[in-house]
Structure formats: C-alpha cells, structure tokens
Amino acid sequence: MNNIPDAQLRFLLPAAGVRGVAVHLGETWRSIAARADYPPAAAELLGEAAAAAALFTGHAKVDGRLSVQLRSKGAISTLFAECTAAGTLRGIVRLNESADAPSRDLRALGADALLAITIENPPLGNGEPMRYQGLVALEAERLDAAFEDYFRQSEQLPTRLLLACNGQRAAGLLLQKLPGEESDEDGFRRASALFDTLGSEELLALAPADVVHRLFHEEAPQLVGEKALRFACSCSRERVEGMLVSLGRDEADAAVDAGHGTASILCEFCGQGYGFDASQIAALFSREAGIQPAAPGLQ
C-alpha cells in the first residue's frame, strides 16, 4: 500500500456511456503538506484540492496549468492547489489568524467565500495566455459535493466526485456521463450505484487502476491514459522579477532597505529563496522602462 505510484488515470465505461478519472497522491501530497504545519482540517482540504486539480487536468483540455482556489474572510483566507499538463503539483493554505480554527464544513467560511477553477493554457502565437475561469458556489459542506454541483450546472452533465485525504495520502475519483451518449440510458445510474460502494479509506488505500477494477470490472472498463504525478514548483527568478515590477519601484526599494541591502523573496510553495540588491533592483526597473542603466559614476 505504501508503494502505490502517484498517478492520474483516465478511463471509459463504454457500455454505460461514462468517462472517468482516478488520482492517487502519496509522496507528492507529503511534499506539499511538509511546507507548513497546517491544522488537520486545513491540511485535509488542501489535499482534497490537490487531488481535485489533478482530476480536472485529466477531465478538461489543459495544455498549461489548472488551479483550484478558495478565498474567504473566514478561518481559511486562501487555499490554492495547482496541477500542470506535465503532471506537477503544488499547493498552499493561508489562515486568518484572527479567526477560529478551520472547519471541514465549507459553509463555515461565510457567505463571501469564493471557490474557482482556473485553466491557463499557452498563448497562440505571440498573444496572451488563454485563461478560463469557472466559479463554484459554496452551498455544500464538502469540497467534492461543491464540485459535483458545479459540473452539473456548468456542463449540464451528471457527475459524481469523491475526494479524500489523510496524513499520508490524497486521492480522488470522478465519473461523468459522456456528452451526447444515449445508447444506454441506465448506464450512468448503474455506474453511480457502483461509485456509492466506495468509501474514503478504500479510495486512499488503492492504486487508481485497482479502484477502477474494484468498482467497474463488470462494465469492461477501458484504461485510456495514465500519467505520473509529482511535486514541483513553477517559481523562477523571472517570475519573482515580474512580481517586483508589479509592486512598483518604491515597494521594491523599501524591501531592499528592510532587508539591510537585499530584498529577500521566499517562495511559499517550495521554500526557494531569491535575493535582489539595490543595483539589481535598479537594473530591473531600468530594463522594464526600456532604458540602459548609467555607467558607474555617470549621471
């Protein structure tokens, strides 16, 4: 059980007219969780969000990255999980220190809480990246139930979703009726009844292929694609430079002063540090303005 590979598995139930994705995260989830000491409820929600992001990259057409993001004024101010088309994941939770301990019940986050699924694909030609975002209503207690509601409303297709996380693993299973598939009107009901026999503990304990076989072997499932998953961060010095430019010259200079000569930026996802001294900040903003910095001693 400890040697289950981290993977995303896509499959079809042809006779039932159903498609699905199964995900297991072991070492990947432990790498994400090790970045901070999260309260249990926050850690479980982050693990489920990471599993969901991996599921959705198998479900949707993603050439770049897909993220699940929750923002609220409640106990969890930000929850973010991202999966790329290459199968890399990262995630983070930020807590509101003035609020009570986080709850597993999403409704406790308040009426202003916002949950979004965002897909960012590479640009066509020299244009801007193509970005698509869907907003998820937080009317359900659990994250998987909230996403089920979203897919039913946005894609108008019957959908089932189960997410689970414990201290060592995170996992997910998604089922959806194939668009325009009417050859077996009872197919989704039949697959959904089998889906209901799976509990969270069993989902966490089995590899994706074993989950599919355990539930759907009588439906003659077709495995249509498996992808390895791993933890990796997409931070880079170039991205940090872009962030500093977006803050403005005054803020960047203030960060240099506060750091006694070096603005130190630490990536919250992976812990990688980036340092910029006063001359590097000056060169950065000169480059952004399209001018060359003056030679030393010349004004």
Side-chain angles (χ1 to χ4, degrees), residues 11-283:
F11 62 94
L12 294 173
L13 308 179
V18 171
R19 61 185 174 185
V21 187
V23 161
H24 182 91
L25 303 174
E27 183 60 35
T28 302
W29 162 237
R30 292 189 290 274
S31 295
I32 293 172
R35 304 296 153 180
D37 185 15
Y38 296 122
E44 289 175 13
L45 282 170
L46 178 58
E48 291 181 5
L55 285 175
F56 300 158
T57 58
H59 168 75
K61 181 172 175 53
V62 178
D63 298 320
R65 64 189 74 247
L66 181 148
S67 65
V68 170
Q69 185 168 11
L70 186 153
R71 291 187 179 275
S72 84
K73 295 180 181 177
I76 295 176
S77 61
T78 302
L79 181 149
F80 177 91
E82 177 188 83
C83 183
T84 69
T88 63
L89 287 101
R90 62 177 187 164
I92 194 171
V93 174
R94 294 193 186 102
L95 302 176
N96 184 346
E97 296 181 358
S98 64
D100 295 334
S103 165
R104 287 288 283 111
D105 189 339
L106 295 177
R107 296 169 298 185
L109 293 173
D112 68 318
L114 183 66
L115 179 62
I117 302 172
T118 305
I119 298 174
E120 184 177 302
N121 284 329
L124 295 174
N126 297 321
E128 293 293 321
M130 294 177 289
R131 195 167 181 267
Y132 313 90
Q133 186 173 78
L135 300 181
V136 183
L138 284 178
E139 299 172 351
E141 175 183 352
R142 290 179 50 85
L143 199 59
D144 44 19
F147 285 130
E148 275 190 2
D149 292 341
Y150 168 77
F151 281 110
R152 277 196 295 264
Q153 295 167 13
S154 67
E155 299 189 6
Q156 298 183 338
L157 291 168
T159 303
R160 298 301 308 276
L161 188 67
L162 179 63
L163 300 170
C165 178
N166 60 22
Q168 296 298 309
R169 303 172 190 84
L173 177 65
L174 181 148
L175 285 185
Q176 189 175 76
K177 184 177 176 62
L178 282 167
E181 180 56 60
E182 304 296 341
S183 59
D184 183 353
E185 294 183 0
D186 190 49
F188 187 80
R189 184 201 63 78
R190 195 168 64 244
S192 185
L194 294 169
F195 179 98
D196 285 333
T197 67
L198 181 69
S200 296
E201 290 185 7
E202 191 173 16
L203 176 61
L204 289 165
L206 295 175
D210 293 334
V211 171
V212 175
H213 177 76
R214 143 79 170 83
L215 293 179
F216 307 117
H217 60 276
E218 293 183 355
E219 294 288 336
Q222 293 181 1
L223 308 184
V224 296
E226 186 169 20
K227 177 182 293 183
L229 301 173
R230 62 185 176 86
F231 170 79
C233 189
S234 57
C235 72
S236 66
R237 190 170 184 86
E238 290 71 25
R239 284 187 170 220
V240 175
E241 289 176 350
M243 180 272 292
L244 288 169
V245 169
S246 70
L247 290 175
R249 180 65 185 269
D250 291 344
E251 289 287 339
D253 286 341
V256 172
D257 292 339
H260 304 289
T262 301
S264 298
I265 312 298
L266 190 68
C267 176
E268 294 180 274
F269 293 96
C270 68
Q272 175 67 46
Y274 299 90
F276 297 82
D277 61 24
S279 63
Q280 289 171 323
I281 292 293

